[in-house]
Amino acid sequence: MKTIDQLLAEGVAGKRVFVRADLNVPLDGTAITDDGRIRAVLPTVAKLAEAGARVVVASHLGRPKGAPDPAFSLAPAAARLGELLGTEVAFAADTVGDSARAVVAGLADGQVAVIENLRFNPGETSKDDAERAAFADQLASLADLYVGDGFGAVHRKHASVYDLPARLPHAAGYLIAGEVGVLKKLTEDAKRPYAVVLGGAKVSDKLGVIDHLLEKADRILIGGGMAYTFLKAQGHEVGASLLQEDQIPVVREYLERAGKKGVEFVLPVDVLVAAAFPDLKTKAPAHPTAVAVDAIPAGQMGLDIGPESRKLYASKLADTATVFWNGPMGVFEHPDYAEGTKAVAQALVDSPAFTVVGGGDSAAAVRTLGFDENAFGHISTGGGASLEYLEGKTLPGLAALED
């Protein structure tokens, strides 16, 4: 895989460089609530601009239906990128139309432009190879070189991620190179004890990574909504908590395999329960109750790990050498259910281990809860991509960057 430094050494001055970034930032109307992904691509964009390239930044945002939708415009992200770069960033109102062609043609050496949301064109996400290829051809006409730096999208077989690199000389940006380096540490050279913390809503989203990590990890700590399927598999009643009944046989099999392999599975010993899901808009007090996992009342749902579980999880992370964390321990968006996620984050901060926060909601939680990002070894920009890499899958966007 060619690096951006190799590309720069060959010379990029005066050349149009297409940077596939991940500017898929959360928005409240047109206000960006977390600019972490924009900051993550800054080193690549800034270095190319400094070297005299004419930089064309492209990304998706949200899930529009293959047609323009103002709610998913990249205009706010383009404006924020300009603020962070300290220079004006041009914005094209379409992806490959008149506006994009004009904006790119108007770039001078060292200038940067952002084109509109790639998913406004159905060819970006099409499962039809010919339709995707046609869109990739149009994108290729905007550039001379390609730099892949949208790690959060490399697990997608999309036109700008998979098809476009085949049409242009290509290299990996600083973000992707860094992400892959970290993930190789977790899969090929993890120092032990190696603990994995998994949370989030659905156990089905994490089955592949659990299966793969049973061969590599020393401890697996489970929280979030997915914990209740594990608790049910152990014979506990879980009330109205999130439950995937169809996954119970698989979960039981994983618990048995873990026992045979000497992998320690750590599940909550107590949880916070309430009769209803909290109001995340008003953040009205929810008044949850802490109960042992064998005493969850019928009709009540578990929404965070409890105080004893927080202590337990912190103790299980204290002596580790490597930790990978993906998924919150509860509904961290509400202050009454944020303490479990906060406890795990604090345990990673306090640990001498090499700590990796695996993107998605975990990365958002770290920032939302006020932690210093530099206190962690690495915060990934791609939750789904990180998990699929750890599952041992071939990621289309990374495969496309190989020479």
Side-chain angles (χ1 to χ4, degrees):
M1 187 181 293
K2 180 182 280 189
T3 68
I4 187 173
D5 285 331
Q6 290 173 293
L7 198 68
L8 289 163
E10 293 169 1
V12 297
K15 295 183 178 178
R16 301 168 301 163
V17 182
F18 188 104
V19 177
R20 198 341 176 152
D22 179 9
L23 308 181
N24 185 27
V25 291
L27 295 172
D28 182 0
T30 59
I32 297 169
T33 58
D34 181 355
D35 66 0
R37 283 178 171 161
I38 302 175
R39 290 179 179 276
V41 79
L42 278 180
T44 291
V45 174
K47 196 75 171 181
L48 288 167
E50 288 168 13
R54 302 177 182 191
V55 187
V56 182
V57 180
S59 176
H60 69 287
L61 192 152
R63 296 179 182 273
K65 307 293 186 181
D69 182 339
F72 297 106
S73 175
L74 277 175
R80 182 59 179 149
L81 178 63
E83 291 173 3
L84 293 169
L85 287 171
T87 187
E88 184 178 350
V89 168
F91 181 67
D94 55 28
T95 54
V96 290
D98 292 341
S99 180
R101 289 193 294 270
V103 165
V104 172
L107 288 175
D109 294 1
Q111 291 187 328
V112 179
V114 173
I115 62 174
E116 187 54 285
N117 192 335
L118 292 164
R119 290 185 182 175
F120 285 1
N121 190 305
E124 169 67 1
T125 59
S126 177
K127 289 183 169 50
D128 181 87
D129 291 347
E131 186 178 13
R132 254 193 357 267
F135 184 47
D137 287 339
Q138 291 178 294
L139 292 172
S141 72
L142 299 175
D144 306 303
L145 303 169
Y146 177 95
V147 172
D149 216 29
F151 181 73
V154 293
H155 58 315
R156 306 295 187 193
K157 193 175 181 180
H158 291 169
S160 67
V161 175
Y162 177 75
D163 301 271
L164 183 55
R167 289 157 169 76
L168 296 169
H170 51 264
Y174 293 120
L175 172 61
I176 278 186
E179 293 273 14
V180 171
V182 166
L183 290 169
K184 281 185 175 179
K185 281 187 182 180
L186 294 178
T187 54
E188 298 172 10
D189 190 29
K191 292 180 179 173
R192 298 182 179 277
Y194 177 15
V196 176
V197 186
L198 297 174
K202 295 182 178 179
V203 68
S204 55
D205 293 340
K206 306 284 167 62
L207 289 177
V209 75
I210 293 171
D211 182 52
H212 205 65
L213 289 172
L214 278 172
E215 306 298 323
K216 299 179 183 296
D218 298 299
R219 285 178 203 144
I220 299 178
L221 287 66
I222 303 292
M226 63 184 285
Y228 300 97
T229 301
F230 279 89
L231 292 171
K232 183 73 172 179
Q234 288 189 325
H236 298 297
E237 292 302 321
V238 297
S241 305
L242 186 64
L243 177 65
Q244 289 186 282
E245 292 262 12
D246 60 324
Q247 302 299 332
I248 289 175
V250 181
V251 165
R252 282 198 183 119
E253 191 262 325
Y254 284 174
L255 290 170
E256 290 171 7
R257 273 176 57 198
K260 291 175 183 175
K261 289 181 173 295
V263 177
E264 184 181 8
F265 251 100
V266 184
L267 297 175
V269 293
D270 64 342
V271 294
L272 298 186
V273 298
F277 197 83
D279 188 327
L280 299 183
K281 287 190 176 180
T282 66
K283 307 288 173 75
H287 306 297
T289 303
V291 299
V293 293
D294 60 359
I296 298 174
Q300 299 226 342
M301 61 183 73
L303 295 163
D304 193 14
I305 60 173
E308 295 306 314
S309 299
R310 290 175 224 149
K311 293 177 191 173
L312 172 65
Y313 285 27
S315 71
K316 294 295 183 181
L317 296 172
D319 66 343
T320 52
T322 305
V323 182
F324 173 75
W325 171 33
N326 181 281
M329 298 294 99
V331 187
F332 74 93
E333 300 91 341
H334 192 285
D336 287 348
Y337 302 107
E339 292 303 316
T341 302
K342 192 181 292 184
V344 167
Q346 188 63 55
L348 266 64
V349 169
D350 294 341
S351 171
F354 175 60
T355 56
V356 179
V357 181
D361 286 342
S362 313
V366 162
R367 290 188 275 267
T368 300
L369 298 174
F371 286 90
D372 180 358
E373 294 183 45
N374 295 321
F376 302 89
H378 179 74
I379 297 181
S380 178
T381 57
S386 295
L387 287 175
E388 290 198 17
Y389 191 101
L390 291 179
E391 286 179 42
K393 290 184 177 180
T394 298
L395 306 188
L398 295 185
L401 293 175
E402 298 290 348
D403 293 328

